[in-house]
Every structure is written in structure tokens, then in C-alpha cells.
């Protein structure tokens, strides 16, 4: 089982940057790929970014491509989401996610979810 704890959210202004860490713990982490999803008020949860746990392959939603970057620190078992040039449209609860043997780009692929961290971007 994998436990995910994300943090780093907060209230920022448009154009600001944030880095969200997600600390992962559990068994067989090498079999899991990691991702980030978000859910804005009144909206469905949507894919943001993902990274293969072993290797450098990354995947991004079109809405964040070029602004967000997902990365990992395997020594710390931590995945990060660096968010630059934040927009009010990025306001959402951001969820860390882990998937077994697949790259998590859809919610049905997610095996484990973090509790979520709120990111609010004011204009």
C-alpha cells in the first residue's frame, strides 16, 4: 500500500509560483508511477501531470504545458509539482496520485490518492 501526503498549497497572486511536494511511502514504490490531478469548484477532477517512477518520461495536460513541471526525488520518495505563471484558472484542490504499472493520466487509473492541498490564485 502507498501513502501519499501532499502539501505546499496556499493563496497566491496571478503570476506567482508554487512548488507542491508529495511524499510517498509504502511497498513496491518502484512499480508505481506518480501524477497530479486537480479539482476546481464545480468541476470534475482533471489530470495535470504525471511522471514515470523509474525514468524521466513526463506527461502534461495542455492547460499547464509550459508552465508546470513535475519532477521527482527518488532519494526522498517525493514527487513535486512546480507551478509557474499561475492563473486564476489554476485555482483548485491539487491531489497527488499513484498508479500501479500505468502512467496515471485518468482518474480510473489511480490506485492511491493524497488528501489534497488547496491552491488559490487571485487576480
Amino acid at each position: 500500500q502507498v501513502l501519499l501526503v501532499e502539501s505546499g498549497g496556499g493563496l497566491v497572486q496571478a503570476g506567482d509560483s508554487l512548488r507542491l511536494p508529495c511524499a510517498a511511502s509504502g511497498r513496491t514504490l518502484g512499480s508505481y508511477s506518480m501524477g497530479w490531478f486537480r479539482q476546481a469548484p464545480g468541476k470534475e477532477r482533471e489530470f495535470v501531470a504525471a511522471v514515470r517512477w523509474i525514468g524521466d518520461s513526463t506527461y502534461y495536460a495542455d492547460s499547464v504545458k509550459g508552465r508546470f513541471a513535475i519532477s521527482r526525488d527518488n532519494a526522498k520518495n517525493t514527487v513535486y509539482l512546480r507551478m509557474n505563471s499561475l492563473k486564476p484558472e489554476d485555482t483548485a484542490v491539487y491531489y497527488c496520485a499513484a498508479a500501479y504499472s500505468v502512467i496515471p493520466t485518468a482518474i480510473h487509473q489511480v490506485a492511491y490518492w493524497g488528501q489534497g492541498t488547496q491552491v488559490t490564485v487571485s487576480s
Side-chain angles (χ1 to χ4, degrees), residues 3 6 14 17 24 32 72 88 97 99 105 114 122:
L3 175 65
E6 66 269 69
S17 297
Y32 286 83
R72 68 185 189 276
T105 59
S122 65

Side-chain angles (χ1 to χ4, degrees), residues 24 29 53 72-80:
L29 288 179
W53 191 248
R72 68 185 189 276
D73 186 336
N74 288 337
K76 297 181 178 180
N77 283 325
T78 300
V79 174
Y80 302 91

Side-chain angles (χ1 to χ4, degrees), residues 101-114:
S101 297
V102 297
I103 308 301
T105 59
I107 59 174
H108 71 269
Q109 298 172 316
V110 176
Y112 301 98
W113 295 99

Side-chain angles (χ1 to χ4, degrees), residues 80-99:
Y80 302 91
L81 184 67
R82 168 63 71 179
M83 304 183 292
N84 295 326
S85 302
L86 282 163
K87 305 175 181 179
E89 306 90 86
D90 297 318
T91 295
V93 177
Y94 283 72
Y95 296 92
C96 185

Side-chain angles (χ1 to χ4, degrees), residues 4-9 18-24 33-39 45-53 58-61 63-64 68-73 77-83 92-99 103-107 110 112-119:
L4 306 175
V5 180
E6 66 269 69
S7 59
L18 278 176
R19 189 179 73 161
L20 307 180
C22 173
S33 293
M34 306 298 298
W36 289 91
F37 291 73
R38 67 186 182 186
Q39 189 164 18
R45 192 169 300 186
E46 65 177 2
F47 168 73
V48 175
V51 61
R52 194 181 301 274
W53 191 248
T58 57
Y59 309 84
Y60 297 96
S63 59
V64 306
F68 290 12
I70 187 170
S71 62
R72 68 185 189 276
D73 186 336
N77 283 325
T78 300
V79 174
Y80 302 91
L81 184 67
R82 168 63 71 179
M83 304 183 292
V93 177
Y94 283 72
Y95 296 92
C96 185
I103 308 301
T105 59
I107 59 174
V110 176
Y112 301 98
W113 295 99
Q115 81 286 350
T117 186
Q118 176 72 47
V119 173

